Amino acid sequence: MIVVTGATGVLNGHTVKHLLRRLPPGDIGVSVRNPERAQHLADLGVRVRRGSYDDREALRDSFEGADQVLLVSSSDVTADVVTQHRNAIDAAVEAGASRILYTSAQGSTFNSPYPPLAIHAATEQHLAESGVAWTALRNGFYGDLEQLLGPWRTTGTIAKPGDGPFSWVDRRDAGEAAAAILLGDASVDGPIDLTPPATVTLDDFAAQASELVGRPIERIVVDDEEWVAAETAAGTPETVARFTLSMFQATRTGHFAHPDPALQRLLGREPRSIADQLADQTGV
């Protein structure tokens, strides 16, 4: 059995979708904080059990009988995320899983200006010490384009701090690649970078957006502190604004300037481009 956490989210939800195309539903389990949100999976015959990264006993129950467990990284900004991840890894080992997969991030290291990378590095370290086979899915950046770019369709601008090259992956592609590894389409031990074959910058997003809507979308570079001040004036907590700023600062160091062909190989096709994703966002 394959058990997937975070299966009601976009990323691992797509992994389950692809697993269902090739496995009987009874061979798939999901561990979710709110089983009611996974009723659509239960209706298909997927095993649904409650699991929380803060409740190791519940996790062991939700991982029961799993050969492989896919752990999504915690999004709880108020929690001790490293401890949550260790709970999940330990529970999977105690439940008898022979392989643990974890949604990490490209560039994971203890020495980075972007704080989540140290969390991922600590989690990968615990995986390496777990005694079972493991795979760290080091995805490129992904998420809501509105958060990355701002309201560009209304303003005609992408006004953000200075950036450098980075990878932007579609969560549907990352989820599909995870399913391919779980299904044995590729044997992966340790970390694997899952990024599109080329990096992008916000200048590239502006160019693609301009082409898409048929009018100029200008990329405006905003001074770091001016941007933080504007964000806080608009109601964003300063800690959140500076957290986001750290991502742009990390791209400027070239930390994410190294794409990898592994994602394309796993998909057997070109990953969705930023043009594809912008078109999806705008409905064009």
Side-chain angles (χ1 to χ4, degrees), residues 145 152-153 170-173 212 272-284:
L145 283 179
W152 62 271
R153 286 171 289 178
D170 191 298
R171 283 175 287 187
R172 294 170 293 182
D173 288 342
L212 181 68
R272 292 176 176 88
S273 67
I274 60 171
D276 297 330
Q277 296 176 64
L278 285 166
D280 287 344
Q281 183 194 34
T282 59
V284 175

Side-chain angles (χ1 to χ4, degrees), residues 10-263:
V10 176
L11 178 61
N12 281 5
H14 277 281
T15 300
V16 173
K17 176 182 176 180
H18 285 281
L19 292 176
L20 282 167
R21 291 177 177 173
R22 292 176 53 185
L23 291 177
D27 289 349
I28 304 168
V30 298
S31 173
V32 293
R33 287 177 293 182
N34 184 355
E36 291 181 0
R37 292 187 59 199
Q39 186 59 48
H40 63 292
L41 296 174
D43 291 343
L44 295 173
V46 173
R47 190 185 80 183
V48 176
R49 292 186 179 178
R50 188 184 69 83
S52 164
Y53 284 4
D54 295 314
D55 187 340
R56 193 151 140 187
E57 184 176 348
L59 286 174
R60 282 197 300 269
D61 176 68
S62 66
F63 296 158
E64 180 187 9
D67 301 303
Q68 299 184 85
V69 173
L70 172 59
L71 302 175
V72 70
S73 56
S74 173
S75 59
D76 187 347
V77 297
T78 65
D80 179 348
V81 174
V82 173
T83 296
Q84 286 185 324
H85 291 168
R86 288 172 177 164
N87 282 340
I89 292 166
D90 293 345
V93 172
E94 291 162 4
S98 57
R99 177 175 292 277
I100 302 170
L101 292 86
Y102 166 71
T103 60
S104 186
Q106 181 191 22
S108 294
T109 179
F110 288 104
N111 301 307
S112 168
Y114 187 49
L117 298 183
I119 292 173
H120 290 305
T123 302
E124 290 184 13
Q125 184 179 68
H126 197 66
L127 280 167
E129 296 168 353
S130 68
V132 301
W134 62 281
T135 303
L137 307 170
R138 289 183 172 178
N139 296 311
F141 285 111
Y142 57 76
D144 184 348
L145 283 179
E146 197 74 29
Q147 292 181 340
L148 175 69
L149 306 177
W152 62 271
R153 286 171 289 178
T154 302
T155 63
T157 64
I158 297 174
K160 296 286 181 176
D163 68 310
F166 61 95
S167 293
W168 187 264
V169 65
D170 191 298
R171 283 175 287 187
R172 294 170 293 182
D173 288 342
E176 182 178 344
I181 294 173
L182 285 164
L183 291 164
D185 294 343
S187 178
V188 180
D189 292 310
I192 179 173
D193 281 355
L194 297 177
T195 70
T199 57
V200 294
T201 65
L202 293 187
D203 284 333
D204 296 318
F205 275 100
Q208 290 293 337
S210 299
E211 184 174 336
L212 181 68
V213 298
R215 59 185 172 90
I217 303 297
E218 183 183 2
R219 163 68 170 122
I220 298 176
V221 177
V222 183
D223 174 80
D224 288 358
E225 292 305 317
E226 290 180 6
W227 183 81
V228 169
E231 289 292 298
T232 55
T236 301
E238 184 176 353
T239 54
V240 175
R242 292 198 177 279
F243 176 85
T244 304
L245 174 64
S246 71
M247 181 193 79
F248 292 109
Q249 291 172 330
T251 68
R252 297 198 298 248
T253 68
H255 196 79
F256 304 102
H258 309 287
D260 192 282
L263 177 62

